[in-house]
Amino acid sequence: MLNLVLFGPPGAGKGTQSENLINKYNLTHISTGDLFRKHIGEKTALGKTAQKFMDEGNLVPDEIVIGMVDDKIHSTSNTNGFIFDGFPRTIAQAKALDALMAKNNTQINTMLALKVSEEELMKRLLNRGKTSGRIDDQNEEKIRNRINVYNNETTPVANYYASQQKLNSVKGVGSIEEIFESLSKIVDTHL
Ligand code: AMP
C-alpha cells in the first residue's frame, strides 16, 4: 500500500493536488474537512457537533476526528492506499493515525508538505470564499484564526513526521502542473 499525508495550511492547494495524486496513484481520498462537510449536509449528529467548531475556524476535537477516520478506513476495501488531506492536524491525531495504520498492517510512507506564504494564503482563501459558499472562507478574521490555529496546533505535526524521516517540503506556489511534478517525484521514490 501507498499511504500519503498531504500537509499544509488552509489554502495551500491540498484539495487540488489530492485530486491529481489520487488519479495518478489510484488512491483513496480521506479529507476530514470534506467528510465533516458531508455530515453537515446530511444533518447528522456528528455534523452538528463539528459545525460549531468549523464555523469559527477552530479544530474539531481529536476523538471525533479520529473516530471518523477510523470508520472511513474500515469501510474502504481493495485500495492501493490512502491520501490523508487535512489530517492529522494535531500530534494526538498523528499518533492515532500511526496506530490505525499499524492495526491494518501498513504505515504512512511519506508526508508531502506544501509551503505557501501567509499573504498568499489570505488572498487565495478570500478569493475561494466568493465561490465556495464556505462560511469559514468568507471573512478575514475567521481566515486569520484558521491560519493561527494551523501555526500553533498543526505545525508540530510536521516535526513529528520529520523525526521519522518522512517530511518532504514542496513549494506550493507556481502552476498546478509544476507543483504536481515536484510532488510526484517524491512519491515515485516510495513505489
Ligand atoms: P479543511 O476543509 O481541511 O480546511 O477543514 C475545514 C474545517 O474542518 C477546519 O477548519 C476544522 O474546523 C475542521 N477540520 C478538518 N479536519 C480536521 C482535523 N483533522 N482536525 C480537527 N478539525 C478538522
Side-chain angles (χ1 to χ4, degrees):
M1 267 175 111
L2 174 68
N3 300 304
L4 309 174
V5 171
L6 186 59
F7 189 76
K14 299 190 295 292
T16 307
Q17 294 299 340
S18 283
E19 267 180 50
N20 288 335
L21 292 164
I22 289 159
N23 292 336
K24 178 158 184 184
Y25 299 102
N26 210 0
L27 301 172
T28 300
H29 191 203
I30 299 194
S31 156
T32 43
D34 285 354
L35 290 173
F36 283 134
R37 282 184 286 276
K38 187 160 181 275
H39 274 281
I40 291 170
E42 291 168 358
K43 298 190 168 31
T44 67
L46 193 155
K48 281 191 190 131
T49 310
Q51 187 162 24
K52 293 197 291 276
F53 298 94
M54 291 173 73
D55 284 352
E56 296 307 317
N58 293 322
L59 294 184
V60 177
D62 286 334
E63 320 79 75
I64 298 177
V65 188
I66 293 163
M68 184 175 73
V69 171
D70 193 5
D71 285 349
K72 177 74 186 171
I73 291 174
H74 274 105
S75 62
T76 307
S77 50
N78 289 329
T79 183
N80 255 355
F82 294 98
I83 177 159
F84 296 94
D85 163 2
F87 177 88
R89 264 172 152 103
T90 62
I91 297 284
Q93 292 179 21
K95 289 186 174 161
L97 179 58
D98 274 349
L100 285 176
M101 292 283 97
K103 204 168 74 182
N104 288 283
N105 298 316
T106 185
Q107 57 159 350
I108 295 297
N109 297 84
T110 195
M111 168 187 262
L112 305 164
L114 292 168
K115 297 277 175 203
V116 179
S117 74
E118 288 192 11
E119 199 188 337
E120 172 71 16
L121 294 174
M122 181 60 79
K123 220 164 54 187
R124 288 186 188 179
L125 290 169
L126 284 171
N127 220 7
R128 185 168 82 183
K130 291 182 193 151
T131 51
S132 70
R134 280 180 58 167
I135 293 170
D136 59 351
D137 279 345
Q138 281 169 20
N139 108 23
E140 200 161 327
E141 196 189 326
K142 281 183 185 173
I143 295 175
R144 182 67 55 207
N145 186 42
R146 280 159 69 208
I147 294 175
N148 287 342
V149 166
Y150 174 81
N151 287 336
N152 297 330
E153 301 180 50
T154 303
T155 49
V157 173
N159 301 333
Y160 178 85
Y161 286 91
S163 71
Q164 298 184 10
Q165 280 77 48
K166 290 180 180 172
L167 171 64
N168 294 284
S169 293
V170 169
K171 196 172 90 180
V173 184
S175 73
I176 292 175
E177 293 75 22
E178 269 166 12
I179 300 167
F180 180 52
E181 205 183 303
S182 308
L183 295 172
S184 295
K185 271 193 195 141
I186 298 164
V187 176
D188 288 343
T189 66
H190 292 278
L191 296 179

